[in-house]
Amino acid sequence: MAWLRDIDRWFGACVLPYAANYRAYARKLTGDEADAEDLVQEAYAKVLGVAEWRRLETPERFVMTIIRNLAFERFRRAKVVAIRQIGVLEMDALPDPAPDAYAVTSARQELDLVLAALERLPVQCRRVLTLRKMHGLSPGQIAVRLNLSVSTVEKHLAKGLRLLTKALASGDGRSIEKRSSSWRDRAIKTEKN
């Protein structure tokens, strides 16, 4: 079809496949089939009027946002609005509980640090710590699995946690000994005064 423009092809490929989602969302907001269809058509017109349509990374979300904004505008102009519709719009206005990109990146970096520190632990401490903290096994279950006594498992667990904590603290430029000695120094100074 040579008569189609680039925006028409893009619209057909990236926007229209989600038409059922748009209608369902608009129906949820308006509570009326005809009003929902009007909202969707109005959103389509606005999308086709966007000059930078090639830059839209998620056209589906963009259309959903337009539908929500159009619904807000209609409710603001309406003289009578059903309480149910106000509740739906208020729920829709809540912030997204998903972590932002910074939180995800930060958590990944922290996990990488923990895993690297875990790899540097002595083998038996690493095994015990992994089974306890990552697999959720009790010390008794770990003892059976590794053919150790429960007290040995607990000692490896304590040693592994101590070494892991020390490694992570020193990775931040702090060491546990320095912090504890400075605490002791302050306690001694206080007793002398």
Side-chain angles (χ1 to χ4, degrees), residues 37-85:
E37 189 61 37
D38 286 346
L39 272 179
V40 171
Q41 294 303 318
E42 196 173 340
Y44 287 165
K46 288 198 177 286
V47 169
L48 288 169
V50 171
E52 297 292 321
W53 57 271
R54 284 184 175 95
R55 293 181 143 195
L56 294 176
E57 291 180 20
T58 54
E60 178 187 10
R61 292 184 83 178
F62 184 70
V63 174
M64 293 288 217
T65 302
I66 290 173
I67 291 170
R68 186 191 71 227
N69 291 344
L70 289 171
F72 274 129
E73 185 63 32
R74 284 186 180 189
F75 290 136
R76 215 175 51 218
R77 283 186 274 142
K79 295 188 191 249
V80 177
V81 177
I83 290 176
R84 184 194 69 76
Q85 290 172 320

Side-chain angles (χ1 to χ4, degrees), residues 5-15 47 53-54 56 59:
R5 302 172 298 171
D6 287 343
I7 193 169
D8 297 328
R9 285 187 199 90
W10 170 82
F11 189 81
C14 298
V15 175
V47 169
W53 57 271
R54 284 184 175 95
L56 294 176

Side-chain angles (χ1 to χ4, degrees), residues 61 94-105:
R61 292 184 83 178
L94 292 175
D96 186 6
D100 62 356
Y102 176 77
V104 170
T105 303

Side-chain angles (χ1 to χ4, degrees), residues 22 33 42 53 61 71 90 113 149 162 168 175 178:
Y22 305 143
E33 189 74 34
E42 196 173 340
W53 57 271
R61 292 184 83 178
E90 285 177 353
L113 286 173
S149 70
R162 187 182 76 248
L168 292 173
S175 83
K178 286 181 186 174

Side-chain angles (χ1 to χ4, degrees), residues 25-37:
Y25 183 56
R27 244 188 331 271
K28 178 181 155 190
L29 294 174
T30 63
D32 181 64
E33 189 74 34
D35 287 343
E37 189 61 37

